[in-house]
Amino acid sequence: MTAVAAPAEIHDPPGHQRVVFRRSAGDALEVDLYVEPGAFVREHVHPAQVETFEGVSGTLILQVDGLDRSIGPGASIVIPPGTRHGFNGAREAAHLHVTVRPALQLEQYFRSYVGLSRDGRLKVPAKGRPSPLLQLAVVMDRFAPELVAPRIPLPLQRFMWRALAFVARLRGYSSSFPEYGAP
């Protein structure tokens, strides 16, 4: 049986964005992020990764630790580990080059999340509660080193996601998504 290569590009219509993978190795994940008006990424934290955004075209307003930071062509913003960040309601189309160090399994997270979102298997609105919560739990548990929710103490969060993921697996939810290139 021949393995199918994961696509170099993924599109998330609900999130109004497209990700083009440029490089994924242990030391770094590099992607081009294309956002459309209305695009959003809910506030989140990378516990052990540095994320750098470099503006290529358009302007995007990132929220970093509660402050608005504008990034346009030629500008860059470095997000240290443990820093809350995201964006909501992009006003215009923008293209950013994003580098995350170390890569860990962030590419598989992107592929899983975007695939589930695109196929309607996971609905994460810009605001409000994601659904189904059990699907989110297996994703958050699997990718705990890469991504955590802000404002919830980490030990409580780890316990909560792990417990909900256990129940989710009993109900048939999987944390592996080979159909999206995330085995």
Side-chain angles (χ1 to χ4, degrees), residues 51-110:
E51 188 167 16
T52 303
F53 293 88
E54 298 174 40
V56 178
S57 66
T59 300
L60 183 71
I61 307 297
L62 291 170
Q63 285 81 44
V64 181
D65 262 346
L67 301 173
D68 286 350
R69 305 270 313 268
S70 178
I71 182 165
S76 66
I77 296 174
V78 177
I79 312 290
T83 304
R84 293 179 294 122
H85 64 286
F87 60 90
N88 191 7
R91 295 182 186 128
E92 64 181 73
H95 171 197
L96 300 115
H97 184 75
V98 182
T99 304
V100 182
R101 293 180 188 280
L104 302 178
Q105 298 297 308
L106 197 59
E107 177 182 353
Q108 287 75 22
Y109 167 79
F110 280 140

Side-chain angles (χ1 to χ4, degrees), residues 44-51 65 79-85 146 148 150:
H44 62 281
V45 172
H46 301 289
Q49 295 166 297
V50 175
E51 188 167 16
D65 262 346
I79 312 290
T83 304
R84 293 179 294 122
H85 64 286
E146 290 78 20
V148 297

Side-chain angles (χ1 to χ4, degrees), residues 76-160:
S76 66
I77 296 174
V78 177
I79 312 290
T83 304
R84 293 179 294 122
H85 64 286
F87 60 90
N88 191 7
R91 295 182 186 128
E92 64 181 73
H95 171 197
L96 300 115
H97 184 75
V98 182
T99 304
V100 182
R101 293 180 188 280
L104 302 178
Q105 298 297 308
L106 197 59
E107 177 182 353
Q108 287 75 22
Y109 167 79
F110 280 140
R111 291 182 182 285
S112 300
Y113 175 83
V114 169
L116 291 166
S117 175
R118 182 188 61 233
D119 291 351
R121 294 170 59 191
L122 179 60
K123 296 177 181 153
V124 180
K127 296 185 191 291
R129 190 173 59 156
S131 67
L133 186 59
L134 292 179
Q135 182 66 78
L136 180 65
V138 294
V139 171
M140 293 300 286
D141 184 52
R142 175 179 173 187
F143 297 105
E146 290 78 20
L147 189 83
V148 297
R151 305 175 204 270
I152 301 172
L154 194 55
L156 175 61
Q157 188 173 157
R158 297 272 198 244
F159 174 78
M160 176 186 74

